[in-house]
Amino acid sequence: MAIKLEEFSKLLTGIYDAGLGVIPWENVLNELVMAFGGNAAAMLVAKPDLRYMLVANVGANPEAVQSYNDYYGRFDIVANTIQHSSAGTVVCGRQIISPAERRDSMFYNEWVKPYEVGDGIAATLMQRKGSTSWIIITSPFHSRQSFGTANRVKLMQQLLPHIQQSLRIQMRVEEKQLPYSDTLGALARLSHGVVLLSEKGRAVFINPAAEAILNQSDGLTIDKTGYLHVVHLPERTKLKKIIGIACKGNDQGLRYGDCVRIIRSSCRQDLFGYIVPLGTEVSDLTEHSASAMLLIIDPENDSFTPSRTLSELFNLTPAEIRVAIHTAKGGGLQYVADQLSISLSTARIHLQHVFEKTGTHRQADLTRLLLTLHAGIDMDKDLK
């Protein structure tokens, strides 16, 4: 068995594409199965007390994979040898155990034979944090010849360093993306609208609050290609300009932020937009690099009520929190009592408690305090 240089180059391209996340590892395994003349392949992880097909597999019976992961993997003799081998080791099934010994084993009779898993060639990929990852390619079950021929072993040895390097690249990419995924999760919790923009000004991330504003198509919209549009011409021109400067820079190459007032088509209060350029250390927040952030403030957004904040910081009761929030919206104490369906005297008692606990003395002070606490983070939204 021998493959042409063109086929070998194609295998290497697929291996590195999988490490970069361009294609799934299953695609690579399919190509390897064809190159080796096998019928199935898997990438596995072995731990001291457990072995399972974690990364990918092709050509395997799903029921076989499940039973291997649940129980039989721990009795896999080939896996036991791999687990105690150094990275880069290539082994063949019949080199580890003779056909006679294999047929007498429980693993063979209860898993290999029922699922018709043939002889295989395996290689240790890497050992990391107490676990060993490896790859195996198997032959048809009824094949009488050893699958571990000299040509197949040589091909595996040639491919192995590239598979290992691709996995290292994948781990570095995933480790780099992990803190950014946490950052995007934090942005998603903001009650203010957040849109991350690419260098060309196209939206590459929109948090739920911004999505709700854009869906209203009231002053600010987004087209199918991801570009923002403002209805009124003067603001449209200004928004386009400040996005360009924040993303690419001015004539001198300087990038800086600015603000814009976005007039709504309806009679509702105008939106306020703040454009902030992003530094290189946070430019890879999304799949496509983000160059700037648009923060959208909706003055009429009352979906945020800092209930948990008021409770934890000032030990306010639920009733006192409701009175505090309605008082901060204005309208007088009678208005608050009517809105909450309580008597005026009850509302007055609750408000006095609020003043005492928060250290404020009048409605204006309380309103200023709540606005200060309104960081735009929805503390009452549970993380999924």
Side-chain angles (χ1 to χ4, degrees):
M1 184 209 75
I3 64 172
K4 298 178 180 179
L5 179 60
E6 182 181 348
E7 295 172 335
F8 186 80
S9 298
K10 183 180 178 182
L11 286 175
L12 294 187
T13 300
I15 288 170
Y16 284 106
D17 281 348
L20 292 170
V22 178
I23 62 173
W25 277 104
E26 284 82 359
N27 290 23
V28 177
L29 293 181
N30 269 321
E31 294 294 331
L32 292 176
V33 166
M34 290 188 288
F36 279 81
N39 73 329
M43 297 178 73
L44 305 93
V45 172
K47 293 186 176 182
D49 58 346
L50 184 65
R51 301 185 184 97
Y52 47 98
M53 301 184 193
L54 174 69
V55 182
N57 71 84
V58 295
N61 183 325
E63 185 179 327
V65 175
Q66 187 64 47
S67 62
Y68 186 95
N69 291 346
D70 291 344
Y71 181 71
Y72 288 102
R74 69 195 70 182
F75 303 106
D76 188 345
I77 300 173
V78 175
N80 183 64
T81 302
I82 284 288
Q83 189 170 340
H84 295 89
S85 301
S86 59
T89 302
V90 178
V91 298
C92 305
R94 294 186 184 181
Q95 293 176 344
I96 298 171
I97 182 172
S98 68
E101 291 175 318
R102 186 168 179 254
R103 285 193 297 270
D104 291 338
S105 70
M106 181 270 285
F107 180 69
Y108 175 85
N109 288 290
E110 294 187 15
W111 189 81
V112 173
K113 187 176 181 180
Y115 294 115
E116 298 188 343
V117 180
D119 187 25
I121 180 171
T124 310
L125 297 174
M126 60 180 62
Q127 294 172 328
R128 188 170 182 262
K129 296 181 179 180
S131 64
T132 304
S133 58
W134 54 292
I135 184 171
I136 185 168
I137 303 170
T138 61
S139 64
F141 179 70
H142 297 290
S143 176
R144 294 184 177 274
Q145 297 180 342
S146 172
F147 194 60
T149 64
N151 284 337
R152 289 193 178 96
V153 171
K154 181 179 180 180
L155 178 59
M156 180 64 83
Q157 290 172 336
Q158 291 172 334
L159 292 172
L160 190 54
H162 299 284
I163 298 175
Q164 291 171 317
Q165 181 62 16
S166 181
L167 287 174
R168 294 188 193 100
I169 292 172
Q170 179 176 327
M171 286 189 294
R172 284 198 292 267
V173 170
E174 290 175 349
E175 288 171 356
K176 182 179 180 182
Q177 290 177 340
L178 182 60
Y180 297 140
S181 63
D182 293 340
T183 302
L184 293 181
L187 293 179
R189 298 185 70 197
L190 291 177
S191 61
H192 298 317
V194 175
V195 181
L196 298 184
L197 304 166
S198 70
E199 185 180 9
K200 295 182 179 180
R202 187 173 66 86
V204 294
F205 171 81
I206 303 174
N207 78 342
E211 186 175 1
I213 293 173
L214 294 171
N215 286 340
Q216 296 171 5
S217 298
D218 190 5
L220 182 65
T221 61
I222 186 169
D223 62 28
K224 294 181 179 179
T225 59
Y227 289 94
L228 297 170
H229 300 280
V230 174
V231 174
H232 293 271
L233 183 59
E235 289 77 20
R236 184 192 313 163
T237 303
K238 182 176 181 180
L239 180 64
K240 184 177 180 179
K241 179 181 178 181
I242 62 177
I243 287 178
I245 293 175
C247 293
K248 296 182 179 181
N250 59 13
D251 295 338
Q252 288 76 42
L254 298 176
R255 297 170 60 216
Y256 55 86
D258 205 340
C259 58
V260 61
R261 186 170 185 166
I262 302 171
I263 300 175
R264 283 173 155 167
S265 303
S266 64
C267 297
R268 300 175 63 188
Q269 294 185 54
D270 298 338
L271 300 170
F272 298 96
Y274 299 86
I275 308 293
V276 181
L278 297 178
T280 55
E281 70 278 3
V282 291
S283 64
D284 293 325
L285 284 169
T286 62
E287 181 179 352
H288 305 283
S289 294
S291 296
M293 179 180 74
L294 169 63
L295 181 67
I296 309 170
I297 307 297
D298 181 0
E300 295 189 5
N301 178 17
D302 59 357
S303 61
F304 173 80
T305 54
S307 302
R308 185 182 302 178
T309 304
L310 290 173
S311 175
E312 292 184 359
L313 294 181
F314 304 108
N315 198 29
L316 297 187
T317 66
E320 291 166 352
I321 290 172
R322 289 191 291 269
V323 169
I325 292 172
H326 280 78
T327 300
K329 293 180 180 180
L333 195 56
Q334 184 61 60
Y335 168 80
V336 173
D338 294 340
Q339 291 295 310
L340 298 177
S341 300
I342 58 177
S343 67
L344 179 60
S345 60
T346 300
R348 184 175 289 110
I349 292 173
H350 285 323
L351 182 58
Q352 184 59 41
H353 290 163
V354 170
F355 285 155
E356 292 172 358
K357 292 181 179 181
T358 60
T360 55
H361 304 284
R362 52 181 181 156
Q363 183 177 343
D365 296 335
L366 179 63
T367 301
R368 188 179 300 109
L369 173 64
L370 264 64
L371 288 174
T372 303
L373 293 175
H374 192 327
I377 301 174
D378 191 346
M379 297 295 292
D380 298 319
K381 181 185 291 183
D382 293 328
L383 290 174
K384 300 290 186 179

